[in-house]
Amino acid sequence: MDAAQQEATARARELQRSWYGEPLGALFRRLIDDLGLNQARLASVLGLSAPMLSQLMSGQRAKIGNPAVVQRVQALQELSSQVADGTVSAAEAAERMEEVKKSSGGSVLNSTQTTASSGAPTVRRVVREIQSLLRSVAGAGDIIDAAETLAPTHPELAEFLRVYGAGRTAEAVAHYEAHQN
């Protein structure tokens, strides 16, 4: 890869970080690992061609052009975090991935998991929004650096940045619940 291609790839990955919170290669690899998929199966669930998925992962393309695919990615991120923290079994995840694949991009997750019976967002949804916001502003390394800078004078803010900006969703949910009231 020549210098111009390397620069274009780096620029595409930075755009992906700003749009999706992280480069799509890292995001898709995490989905593949957490949900037990291969690239072809992930492409199928998302409604992308395998070459398009590969181009997005490698940084040859920066943006997912179809909003329905973006919503499917978000649904799989939520499902992945539920599998990772044990609230959804592998068998349930396989069923839900089929629902995601068939969806036009709207929410396909069970409403009790995304909202409480009152219609208010669940703790998990609030936490995921906070994580997405922080990760759209800066990468995990920068967030950790900021937390270390704040730690001597503002330890609670430093902990918040570390947990929500670079930690797992389950950790952030526990932090959120511990600091309610």
Side-chain angles (χ1 to χ4, degrees):
M1 186 182 307
D2 67 21
Q5 288 173 315
Q6 288 177 339
E7 186 177 317
T9 298
R11 191 171 43 252
R13 287 186 176 137
E14 261 322 296
L15 287 170
Q16 289 175 349
R17 184 182 313 283
S18 71
W19 293 329
Y20 307 110
E22 64 186 308
L24 289 174
L27 189 156
F28 290 156
R29 277 188 286 285
R30 190 174 61 253
L31 292 176
I32 286 167
D33 290 344
D34 289 351
L35 297 172
L37 303 171
N38 59 34
Q39 282 188 15
R41 176 77 174 122
L42 178 60
S44 173
V45 171
L46 292 175
L48 291 172
S49 69
M52 176 62 79
L53 179 76
S54 178
Q55 290 171 355
L56 289 165
M57 289 182 75
S58 67
Q60 292 173 346
R61 288 186 181 254
K63 190 170 188 169
I64 300 170
N66 184 334
V69 173
V70 173
Q71 289 179 329
R72 287 186 201 109
V73 169
Q74 291 168 341
L76 288 183
Q77 285 180 287
E78 179 72 17
L79 183 59
S80 171
S81 70
Q82 291 171 344
V83 168
D85 70 15
T87 57
V88 171
S89 71
E92 288 175 290
E95 290 174 20
R96 295 217 189 134
M97 280 188 277
E98 282 306 308
E99 293 174 21
V100 169
K101 181 179 178 178
K102 294 174 187 172
S103 77
S104 60
S107 178
V108 295
L109 299 175
N110 187 330
S111 63
T112 60
Q113 291 161 341
T114 57
T115 59
S117 58
S118 67
T122 62
V123 168
R124 174 170 294 286
R125 176 67 76 198
V126 171
V127 163
R128 294 290 289 175
E129 291 296 324
I130 294 168
Q131 288 176 315
S132 292
L133 178 62
L134 276 172
R135 293 169 184 178
S136 72
V137 172
D142 290 338
I143 293 171
I144 297 284
D145 288 347
E148 289 173 3
T149 301
L150 283 172
T153 56
H154 302 287
E156 296 85 7
L157 283 173
E159 178 185 17
F160 175 85
L161 286 176
R162 276 192 298 273
V163 171
Y164 293 86
R168 308 266 314 157
T169 300
E171 293 173 55
V173 166
H175 182 272
Y176 185 97
E177 289 174 338
H179 288 85
Q180 288 297 290
N181 299 330

